[in-house]
Amino acid sequence: MSTPTYVPGHGLLRGKSVLITAAAGAGIGFSAALRAAEEGCRALMISDIHEGRLQEAATKIREATGLDQVHGQVCNVTNEEQVQALVAAAERELGGVDVLINNAGLGGSRLLVEMGDEEWNRVLDVTLTGTMRMTRAMLPKMMERGRGVIVNNASVLGWRAQKEQSHYAAAKAGVMALTRCAAVEAAEHGIRINAVSPSIALHDFLKKSAPKELLDQLASREAFGRAAEVWEVANVMMFLASDYSSYMTGEVLSVSSQRA
């Protein structure tokens, strides 16, 4: 099936400020940042562990959308000091963060019997604990204002089994559980926390981390016979970040066309 037509912005985030982790490069994070600008956010901060790629991404967003207030800051979500510094910088530069999108994650392929503790811990530290660190750092700021939205990036592997994905699937299932529990705590402060759960969205990093044969096989299982475009996942993030989802919290939306 042919690729769908790119959807123009509709002002879903007009007047809001947005902070996004792991937003450099060509993946879901960068697409979410671009979409946030296209949806009218007033200010944007993106983070990544690669400084050169981060600044390049910020420049691309400014040039593509005309949004001047695009800031970039290096952050490794496994480092608490860097997480705190990112949140402090975003609060300062954006005049308070209205929306946080936790996109940072790390995958890989390994049979469980061949997986060492170091590899297991690294995937969970970035994907699950990194999401927790960012949420924990951001919530007090949002609580002071009595409003805010957090959108996490999970995966259908949090629900479904796939060979050689024990570490990544466990981490993403943890992101789902974290989303639900943190949402209950945050609701009484006027804050919403939800997550997206993509099946397969092709981008350069994924192509480098998994065999083409496997990616083609996974894409063929989708009802549309193709992988998602990264912006199709980002579109759902924009919905969850916007006031259109004002009654939703603690939810995990599957962004897939997998057969029932």
Side-chain angles (χ1 to χ4, degrees):
M1 184 171 288
S2 61
T3 302
T5 303
Y6 193 81
V7 181
H10 287 73
L12 297 186
L13 300 187
R14 186 172 292 118
K16 297 183 184 296
S17 61
V18 182
L19 168 62
I20 307 176
T21 64
I28 293 172
F30 175 76
S31 186
L34 183 62
R35 293 264 53 185
E38 291 170 344
E39 290 294 350
C41 73
R42 61 177 173 80
L44 173 67
M45 178 170 281
I46 59 176
S47 77
D48 204 277
I49 59 174
H50 303 284
E51 185 168 7
R53 198 168 68 188
L54 178 63
Q55 297 308 322
E56 182 181 348
T59 298
K60 284 181 179 179
I61 294 169
R62 290 190 200 100
E63 293 176 348
T65 66
L67 178 65
D68 292 329
Q69 293 297 313
V70 181
H71 308 271
Q73 174 147 325
V74 172
C75 179
N76 183 335
V77 296
T78 69
N79 185 303
E80 177 65 16
E81 289 185 5
Q82 291 187 30
V83 165
Q84 291 292 339
L86 173 62
V87 169
E91 284 286 302
R92 180 179 65 252
E93 297 294 338
L94 305 184
V97 176
D98 296 314
V99 177
L100 166 64
I101 297 179
N102 284 315
N103 178 66
L106 179 67
S109 297
R110 187 83 63 188
L111 290 171
L112 183 60
V113 294
E114 298 173 356
M115 190 182 303
D117 284 3
E118 182 179 356
E119 184 173 5
W120 172 272
N121 290 335
R122 185 162 179 254
V123 169
L124 266 73
D125 197 13
V126 174
T127 307
L128 174 56
T129 311
T131 299
M132 182 280 294
R133 288 189 188 99
M134 285 299 303
T135 302
R136 182 176 63 188
M138 193 74 255
L139 277 176
K141 310 296 185 183
M142 290 181 169
M143 286 176 176
E144 289 175 5
R145 292 186 286 270
R147 57 183 170 79
V149 177
I150 297 176
V151 180
N152 296 326
N153 194 356
S155 167
V156 293
L157 290 182
W159 290 313
R160 299 165 184 166
Q162 185 175 313
K163 186 179 178 181
E164 299 183 342
Q165 293 296 310
S166 294
H167 47 357
Y168 186 70
K172 290 300 190 180
V175 169
M176 292 178 177
L178 171 65
T179 298
R180 290 188 289 265
C181 294
V184 173
E185 297 177 11
E188 59 193 75
H189 299 280
I191 301 162
R192 298 188 297 106
I193 305 177
N194 293 291
V196 297
S197 177
S199 51
I200 178 171
L202 281 185
H203 51 83
D204 290 344
F205 183 77
L206 181 60
K207 291 176 183 177
K208 292 177 182 178
S209 64
K212 182 180 184 302
E213 296 75 16
L214 174 60
L215 297 178
D216 289 344
Q217 181 186 47
L218 293 174
S220 70
R221 296 176 184 172
E222 300 290 314
F224 292 131
R226 64 172 178 86
E229 297 294 319
V230 288
W231 58 263
E232 292 180 289
V233 179
N235 283 350
V236 181
M237 288 178 164
M238 296 304 103
F239 164 69
L240 290 176
S242 78
D243 294 339
Y244 278 99
S245 59
S246 59
Y247 194 64
M248 295 178 64
T249 198
E251 296 293 338
V252 181
L253 285 188
S254 178
V255 187
S256 74
S257 67
Q258 291 197 351
R259 301 174 190 274

